Amino acid sequence: MSVAGRRKNSYVAYVFLAPALILLGVFVLYPFLDNFKLALYQSSPSPLIPSTYVGPSQFWQTITSSTFLQGLQATLIYTAIVVPFGLLFGLLLAVLANQKLRGMVIYRTIFSTTVISGVAVSAVIFDTLLNPVVGILPWLGININPLTSPTWALPVNALIGVWSYMGLAFIFCLAGLQSVDTSVLEAAECDGAGWWSTLFRVTIPMLSPTLFAALTLGTISALFSFGTINLLIGANAPSVNANVLGLQIYNNILVNQNFGIAACLCIALFIVTLIITGVMFRFLERRVSYAR
Amino acid sequence: MPAKALKHRFAKLASYTVLTVAAILVLFPLYMTVVTSLLDPTLIGHVPPYFYPPHPTWGIYADVFTQAHFGHYIVNSLIQSSLITIASVVTSLLAGYAFAMLEFPLKRTLFFLTLVTVAIPFEVTVTANYLTVVHLGYNATMIGMVLPFLASGFGIFLMRQAFLQVPYEIREASLIDGYGDVGFFFRVGIPLVRPMIGGLTLVSFLSAWNQYLWPLIQSSNTDSLRTAQIGLQTLFGSTTSITALNEYVAASIILIAPFFILLIFFQRQLIANLTSGAVK
């Protein structure tokens, strides 16, 4: 290709790229970097008074405060329930739905439904189910309200998270299973491998890239979730050990208008996310077999 | 009947039993929500609970639209989700095409930066985005509601992958036929990646429709701007009486019903497209 042609080519390329890259720069990269500046300023009680520079001390104070540490604990517990159980159930459903049987499309549709319910809808569904007056708990002989119990509030919200994430994990695993070469599975069957040993020795290893993708995506979204806790518990979250960091970020922006603290929390949570996903890449990705 | 055929039949029956039990467990929360929405308010909270509505009262679904302004919230959601979907599909198509088919300086750097944006959760950017939208004067407007989502690193990545699968010979042939890059993009490129456009449209629309944090920030004090999710949140938060319960329960059913129907028809495409970037 001529030099002139190539130059025209790059002019076209920049025109094609401009809208997307400008938007991503302004609304993703800039605000991400801006956290590090915002974190150095203490927000004033009124928007009319400019915020004052306080330096990195605000960040250290925030991440050593008991509110943050309790929030971190709640966030980690929530994630440790949602991700393993959601992934396990999603995988089991996908293995079930990957059989060649008539009517399978109906089961696949049912198993994917939890993906379509957003935060508000999931909260309403489970509030109806678990409500101490109208739900099914009194019928089961349980007369406590799990949402006001310091022991149960967080696990119950994690249960809702499991239900929501399960559908996504199912879709990932089913797509992965469908790209697994069936001849390998047939070979395993011919060699006399049973259902369980085929699952653990053949299917899961072959599915490992998919499982790893679903695991990292699920972990990142669980670490930042707060929606059902905001809706079902709201201002009581600290008193029932459910004040997850996502909720603290939201409250600092919208309720307290304390952008400095919100930025500190964003940075801290992002670092936590990096550490956890980094550990996953370090210790799990080695065991992922990409070879097909 | 030969023993092998009998064993096969038994295995089939066992499979269907396990599948059906799993389906009931997955659907149970949703099913009970539908039942509650159809119950007469006086029957809500009955012990033992009703597992089916004895006298379904469908009127509540009309009340959601007339009394709770849900028609208005749904229109807001449709506008918000459509704007986000159209804009992000268009910007992703353009950028994905450039990354896959064109050569230009800084290509690797720009693509790396695009991938970095995929790894930054929206929640981390929300503080500065709020301040940006306030400074631009779009706070609590429809523009402010959609502005941060008009481009998507994930969408660009998906579109790049789709364009990479277009054989290079097709492009060379059409260059000889006299199509420039722009002509090739519109007449050859877009038709070839149409399945991926469909998938990205579905995924973008669903995630925009289910957005929670940003619409809440933008419309928490502006009733006329509320999306359906935030309308449901407000209705849910403001209600303490049991009799109003089936109103927000019905509202939540209305919110997911269209996707339930879409899922029945497009389940295969959804599975193929939600995962095409991540699987393999």
Side-chain angles (χ1 to χ4, degrees):
Chain A
M1 201 180 281
S2 69
V3 176
R6 203 176 289 157
R7 192 182 301 147
K8 182 170 172 278
N9 218 355
S10 62
Y11 165 75
V12 171
Y14 290 135
V15 171
F16 272 40
L17 286 171
L21 295 191
I22 290 171
L23 285 164
L24 288 178
V26 174
F27 294 105
V28 184
L29 288 178
Y30 160 73
F32 172 69
L33 296 173
D34 197 45
N35 276 319
F36 295 92
K37 195 189 106 201
L38 286 169
L40 302 175
Y41 288 82
Q42 188 174 46
S43 302
S44 62
S46 154
L48 298 172
I49 309 164
S51 49
T52 44
Y53 179 84
V54 288
S57 65
Q58 177 166 248
F59 180 75
W60 301 119
Q61 273 169 20
T62 305
I63 65 163
T64 50
S65 69
S66 61
T67 313
F68 173 81
L69 293 172
Q70 283 160 10
L72 180 62
Q73 189 189 5
T75 306
L76 294 177
I77 293 174
Y78 177 88
T79 307
I81 298 174
V82 171
V83 177
F85 286 101
L87 195 56
L88 179 71
F89 293 151
L91 173 65
L92 287 177
L93 292 177
V95 170
L96 283 175
N98 195 38
Q99 305 173 81
K100 284 200 176 62
L101 291 172
R102 198 171 294 166
M104 196 53 88
V105 73
I106 298 169
Y107 291 106
R108 286 180 185 165
T109 306
I110 290 173
F111 296 159
S112 340
T113 50
T114 72
V115 156
I116 58 177
S117 330
V119 164
V121 175
S122 316
V124 167
I125 289 174
F126 279 85
D127 183 68
T128 314
L129 209 59
L130 301 174
N131 189 300
V133 183
V134 303
I136 57 164
L137 291 184
W139 177 59
L140 296 170
I142 301 165
N143 287 313
I144 57 156
N145 181 353
L147 294 171
T148 56
S149 142
T151 319
W152 293 107
L154 189 62
V156 161
N157 277 281
L159 176 77
I160 305 174
V162 169
W163 186 77
S164 309
Y165 172 53
M166 184 174 76
L168 189 70
F170 164 75
I171 289 178
F172 266 83
C173 292
L174 185 62
L177 282 174
Q178 290 181 340
S179 67
V180 166
D181 194 350
T182 48
S183 64
V184 180
L185 295 177
E186 279 159 16
E189 202 178 319
C190 281
D191 289 347
W195 194 82
W196 281 107
S197 63
T198 310
L199 180 67
F200 280 103
R201 303 235 176 110
V202 184
T203 314
I204 291 180
M206 291 191 79
L207 205 57
S208 51
T210 310
L211 288 172
F212 189 71
L215 175 74
T216 43
L217 280 176
T219 304
I220 294 170
S221 97
L223 286 170
F224 283 90
S225 23
F226 73 100
T228 60
I229 297 175
N230 177 34
L231 270 162
L232 296 175
I233 302 176
N236 289 330
S239 63
V240 294
N241 304 321
N243 198 15
V244 292
L245 295 176
L247 185 64
Q248 294 186 21
I249 293 172
Y250 164 78
N251 280 331
N252 274 303
I253 293 170
L254 205 66
V255 184
N256 310 332
Q257 301 256 313
N258 196 333
F259 304 113
I261 302 285
C264 291
L265 290 169
C266 282
I267 295 170
L269 187 49
F270 187 72
I271 292 171
V272 170
T273 311
L274 276 187
I275 293 172
I276 293 176
T277 48
V279 167
M280 286 176 174
F281 270 94
R282 176 80 178 73
F283 291 101
L284 289 175
E285 223 218 354
R286 279 188 309 181
R287 305 181 61 178
V288 170
S289 58
Y290 285 103
R292 284 280 160 87
Chain B
M1 195 182 288
K4 200 174 175 191
L6 196 69
K7 198 181 160 200
H8 185 69
R9 278 209 163 179
F10 180 74
K12 223 173 173 180
L13 186 70
S15 288
Y16 275 119
T17 312
V18 175
L19 278 164
T20 307
V21 170
I24 290 171
L25 286 175
V26 172
L27 268 190
F28 181 72
L30 201 58
Y31 173 77
M32 287 305 283
T33 310
V34 177
V35 171
T36 309
S37 74
L38 295 175
L39 279 181
D40 187 277
T42 55
L43 298 180
I44 294 177
H46 192 269
V47 180
Y50 284 95
F51 289 100
Y52 63 93
H55 313 286
T57 50
W58 297 95
I60 191 70
Y61 282 87
D63 290 353
V64 168
F65 285 97
T66 53
Q67 289 173 16
H69 314 297
F70 246 75
H72 187 75
Y73 299 148
I74 287 176
V75 170
N76 281 345
S77 267
L78 285 173
I79 296 172
Q80 170 247 11
S81 305
S82 308
L83 286 175
I84 289 175
T85 306
I86 294 167
S88 64
V89 168
V90 169
T91 53
S92 298
L93 264 174
L94 289 167
Y97 176 83
F99 280 130
M101 307 295 261
L102 304 177
E103 286 304 323
F104 52 91
L106 293 176
K107 182 172 168 175
R108 287 173 67 90
T109 314
L110 291 174
F111 187 61
F112 175 74
L113 284 174
T114 306
L115 288 184
V116 167
T117 66
V118 181
I120 300 175
F122 174 73
E123 288 84 350
V124 172
T125 66
V126 75
T127 321
N129 271 332
Y130 175 73
L131 296 171
T132 303
V133 169
V134 169
H135 283 307
L136 292 173
Y138 291 130
N139 191 41
T141 65
M142 186 52 84
I143 296 176
M145 184 92 92
V146 302
L147 205 47
F149 306 99
L150 301 181
S152 142
F154 178 68
I156 295 171
F157 178 70
L158 281 189
M159 282 305 162
R160 171 184 176 266
Q161 299 303 96
F163 278 117
L164 280 180
Q165 295 184 350
V166 174
Y168 199 75
E169 295 78 36
I170 293 185
R171 178 142 180 278
E172 280 190 328
S174 61
L175 282 177
I176 294 165
D177 287 346
Y179 285 166
D181 273 309
V182 177
F184 176 78
F185 174 73
F186 282 106
R187 288 181 216 163
V188 186
I190 288 181
L192 282 172
V193 297
R194 206 180 286 151
M196 190 63 96
I197 296 176
L200 184 61
T201 304
L202 199 64
V203 174
S204 306
F205 196 89
L206 179 62
S207 73
W209 183 269
N210 281 338
Q211 265 186 25
Y212 184 71
L213 173 60
W214 187 251
L216 187 58
I217 289 174
Q218 286 293 303
S219 71
S220 59
N221 299 318
T222 317
D223 182 62
S224 61
L225 195 64
R226 279 182 192 143
T227 60
Q229 301 285 338
I230 307 308
L232 178 62
Q233 184 258 356
T234 316
L235 192 62
F236 181 72
S238 64
T239 311
T240 43
S241 75
I242 293 170
T243 46
L245 181 133
N246 55 2
E247 195 168 73
Y248 65 71
V249 168
S252 67
I253 299 298
I254 292 171
L255 285 199
I256 58 169
F259 289 101
F260 204 92
I261 294 162
L262 276 177
L263 198 60
I264 293 170
F265 290 107
F266 295 107
Q267 179 248 133
R268 203 183 297 269
Q269 286 88 328
L270 183 73
I271 289 178
N273 287 300
L274 258 183
T275 52
S276 49
V279 176
K280 180 130 193 167

